[in-house]
Amino acid sequence: MATTEKPTGGTSTTASGTAPDTPSMTHPQIMKALSGLMLGMFVAILSSTIVSNALPQIISDLGGTQSSYTWVVTAALLSMTAATPLWGKLSDLFSKKLLVQISLVIYVLGSVVAGLSQNTGTLIACRVVQGIGVGGLSALAQIVMAAMISPRERGRYSGYLGAVFAVATVGGPLLGGVITDTDWLGWRWCFYVGVPFAVIALIVLQRTLHLPVVRRDVKVDWLGAFLISGAVSLLLIWVTQAGGSYEWISWQTWTMTGGAVLLGLLFVLVESRASDPIIPLRLFRNKTISLASAASLFVGIAMFSGTVFFSQFFQLARGESPTMSGILTIPMIGGLFVSSTLSGQVITKTGKWKAWLVSGGVLLTAGLGLLGTLRYDTPYWHIAIYMALTGLGLGMMMQNLVLATQNQVAPEDLGAASSVVTFFRSLGGAMGVSALGAVMANRVTHYVQDGIAALGPKAAAAMGHGGTAGGGIPDLDKLPAPIRTVVESSYGHGVGDVFLYAAPFALLSLVLVLFIKEVALKSKPAAQARRPAAERVRATVSRIQVPR
């Protein structure tokens, strides 16, 4: 039995779940409706960036290792990745506003408990909860916007979301650094500071966001959600531990990868038979969706590797404070802000989007390739240029890959299709952080051992566990000058290797977008396009005045 709620603009849905001739919303109306959504997005991004510059201090205080450092980030990405398709499917069935509010509540609960953590295990578990909430906010933001705004106009508002992303991304590390450096606050407040924003977002959403809703009896594909979560989890656990806890070629590797493949195949089988699949496999018959999803996977690797490993570079390779570490990443965020806003405005005016995707792929590949040359003593103005190029590329690709996908699907599949692209981007980020974090730990250990060996046996004895022995995060202030230089050089070279390994994935994303066919952007939002053709004809006829 279908029920409805009143949408923005004063119309309502019919019992059959369709909408009458919904008038187009004005720009002020759209901005009012999007205000709470953008605030929710700000909270989501802030939660992932505010801890980036605080992580070295957090892991040190909680007695964690480089593996713990990676997993604090990966745990949130993993749960966000696994939950995204489920949020997308639920948005096609239930109230989008209610789902956004539930996401915010989950995020708040995870954040409050995370701030009370006494060990890395508790913190990682709380990050899983945070990730579930953030996954909902990330997926639903694009879905809600698509329900209100036509693809032709959506580029403009995608630019606004990109601007919010940029502000939260640059503000998060800065705020986290200041909080960590302030004695009477401390890093625990990095988890508390987003809670007031989330509460405000809940209130604003309740007052401003009104969308047509169709509720019907459904069967949620919980088995599909479990299988895809299990497959992704096994894969990430293998990537994180391989080369450290066990060899890359070992029985553990074969067990985990084989299990991940088996769960993946079972997921495909379940989805092909489910009445309401969490990811409709028929979507991938569309070439644009398949290519955009694959490209998003590789973009995710580039995006999250940049935000995660820059904090280690500036703090452990250059000895900067958490606050200064955030300030030094502004060129990348500035590039992302400019390109996402500008591309959105131009796409709205011209209706053309592919050139932006291609240009973004070129800039992203070039930026990561140049970042691959990083060393602890690389001049900062070089680093700033490389970061700016990377940010420009990310800003041109992230939102526009979602836009290209949304323009290709039927309204009833809008949530699932949007979440698929977000899912692959999150999956790429989770896999990238896990794999590149493991690579960096191994490379840093190798460089430290070589550097210490060059200094002689006495230096090795003095080193103890102050570097990466045992996988710990070093405290540079407690190291003698020659050894500190070795550690800084090792981290600088190790982070450079991470970006060098990420560059080929950016190149793959460029190759993929070259094959995406540009389709003219639609001029109607999904809420209007959902109506059957027969009803649109009746609505048109009803407006014709018959002369007496």
Side-chain angles (χ1 to χ4, degrees):
M1 182 71 180
T3 59
T4 63
E5 70 181 32
K6 188 178 180 181
T8 302
T11 61
S12 62
T13 54
T14 64
S16 62
T18 60
D21 195 15
T22 306
S24 297
M25 297 171 64
T26 64
H27 175 67
Q29 288 175 326
I30 292 174
M31 291 305 298
K32 181 181 178 181
L34 288 179
S35 57
L37 189 67
M38 290 193 289
L39 189 57
M41 272 293 293
F42 178 79
V43 169
I45 303 304
L46 191 71
S47 73
S48 61
T49 60
I50 196 171
V51 299
S52 59
N53 286 327
L55 270 180
Q57 183 66 46
I58 293 173
I59 300 303
S60 178
D61 287 353
L62 296 181
T65 64
Q66 179 66 44
S67 177
S68 302
Y69 185 106
T70 300
W71 266 104
V72 168
V73 178
T74 304
L77 289 175
L78 170 61
S79 58
M80 181 173 69
T81 301
T84 294
L86 184 58
W87 286 114
K89 185 61 182 176
L90 291 175
S91 74
D92 287 329
L93 308 175
F94 303 110
S95 168
K96 297 174 179 62
K97 181 170 76 172
L98 178 61
L99 291 173
V100 173
Q101 291 172 317
I102 292 173
S103 300
L104 282 167
V105 171
I106 293 173
Y107 162 79
V108 169
L109 293 175
S111 298
V112 170
V113 181
L116 302 174
S117 300
Q118 300 300 313
N119 53 66
T120 55
T122 303
L123 179 58
I124 290 170
C126 293
R127 292 287 285 172
V128 170
V129 177
Q130 275 189 309
I132 294 173
V134 172
L137 292 169
S138 300
L140 293 166
Q142 295 288 346
I143 295 166
V144 169
M145 189 169 63
M148 294 191 300
I149 308 165
S150 70
R152 180 64 183 267
E153 291 291 324
R154 205 174 301 149
R156 176 184 187 181
Y157 298 97
S158 292
Y160 294 147
L161 281 182
V164 170
F165 181 94
V167 171
T169 304
V170 70
L174 284 173
L175 185 58
V178 171
I179 290 173
T180 304
D181 287 337
T182 303
D183 293 335
W184 55 275
L185 287 175
W187 59 261
R188 295 183 186 278
W189 279 93
C190 290
F191 298 101
Y192 299 146
V193 73
V195 174
F197 290 104
V199 173
I200 295 172
L202 279 170
I203 298 171
V204 174
L205 280 166
Q206 184 62 34
R207 295 178 61 88
T208 63
L209 184 61
H210 306 285
L211 289 172
V213 175
V214 180
R215 297 187 181 95
R216 52 192 174 90
D217 294 331
V218 296
K219 182 179 180 181
V220 179
D221 183 19
W222 296 112
L223 180 57
F226 169 77
L227 289 173
I228 196 168
S229 301
V232 172
S233 301
L234 265 181
L235 198 60
L236 291 180
I237 292 171
W238 165 66
V239 167
T240 304
Q241 302 296 327
S245 300
Y246 46 81
E247 297 298 323
W248 285 96
I249 304 298
S250 62
W251 69 266
Q252 293 96 331
T253 290
W254 293 117
T255 301
M256 291 187 186
T257 54
V261 170
L262 178 60
L263 289 174
L265 292 175
L266 288 174
F267 171 75
V268 172
L269 178 63
V270 168
E271 294 302 276
S272 64
R273 298 182 177 182
S275 56
D276 278 309
I278 191 170
I279 298 180
L281 299 181
R282 54 186 167 74
L283 292 177
F284 294 101
R285 298 172 190 166
N286 186 302
K287 184 179 177 182
T288 297
I289 295 176
S290 298
L291 291 172
S293 299
S296 293
L297 179 76
F298 300 127
V299 169
I301 294 176
M303 179 176 72
F304 288 102
S305 63
T307 57
V308 169
F309 296 111
F310 269 130
S311 61
Q312 284 193 305
F313 175 78
F314 286 118
Q315 292 183 52
L316 300 178
R318 299 176 81 95
E320 302 289 354
S321 68
T323 301
M324 197 62 192
S325 179
I327 293 173
L328 293 174
T329 59
I330 286 179
M332 185 178 78
I333 309 308
L336 193 153
F337 179 90
V338 170
S339 63
S340 61
T341 305
L342 180 62
S343 66
Q345 296 283 352
V346 175
I347 287 172
T348 293
K349 291 181 179 180
T350 64
K352 304 293 184 182
W353 46 265
K354 183 173 179 178
W356 292 100
L357 286 178
V358 175
S359 300
V362 171
L363 292 172
L364 183 60
T365 303
L368 288 174
L370 291 169
L371 285 171
T373 65
L374 283 187
R375 299 296 182 266
Y376 82 106
D377 56 354
T378 301
Y380 177 71
W381 69 271
H382 289 183
I383 302 172
I385 292 175
Y386 305 159
M387 287 192 294
L389 290 174
T390 303
L392 287 169
L394 286 172
M396 292 178 189
M397 297 194 77
M398 280 175 25
Q399 305 292 343
N400 293 329
L401 283 169
V402 178
L403 176 63
T405 300
Q406 292 175 338
N407 192 50
Q408 291 279 306
V409 298
E412 59 269 19
D413 289 328
L414 184 63
S418 302
S419 64
V420 161
V421 178
T422 307
F423 165 79
F424 278 102
R425 187 173 67 206
S426 301
L427 178 61
M431 292 179 63
V433 170
S434 298
L436 295 175
V439 167
M440 189 182 118
N442 290 333
R443 298 307 296 162
V444 168
T445 300
H446 172 74
Y447 293 137
V448 167
Q449 290 172 348
D450 287 350
I452 295 300
L455 292 177
K458 291 184 179 181
M463 185 70 170
H465 291 278
T468 56
I473 302 295
D475 186 343
L476 296 179
D477 294 333
K478 296 180 180 179
L479 298 177
I483 297 178
R484 173 170 177 158
T485 300
V486 169
V487 173
E488 288 180 337
S489 176
S490 300
Y491 270 94
H493 202 164
V495 173
D497 288 349
V498 163
F499 288 116
L500 190 62
Y501 295 146
F505 295 105
L507 180 61
L508 286 174
S509 71
L510 170 60
V511 172
L512 288 168
V513 299
L514 287 174
F515 289 97
I516 297 179
K517 182 180 179 181
E518 186 164 33
V519 178
L521 295 180
K522 299 172 184 176
S523 58
K524 289 186 178 182
Q528 294 183 32
R530 188 183 294 271
R531 294 179 300 147
E535 184 177 336
R536 293 198 298 269
V537 171
R538 288 195 299 270
T540 303
V541 171
S542 66
R543 291 195 298 266
I544 299 176
Q545 294 184 358
V546 180
R548 296 181 180 275

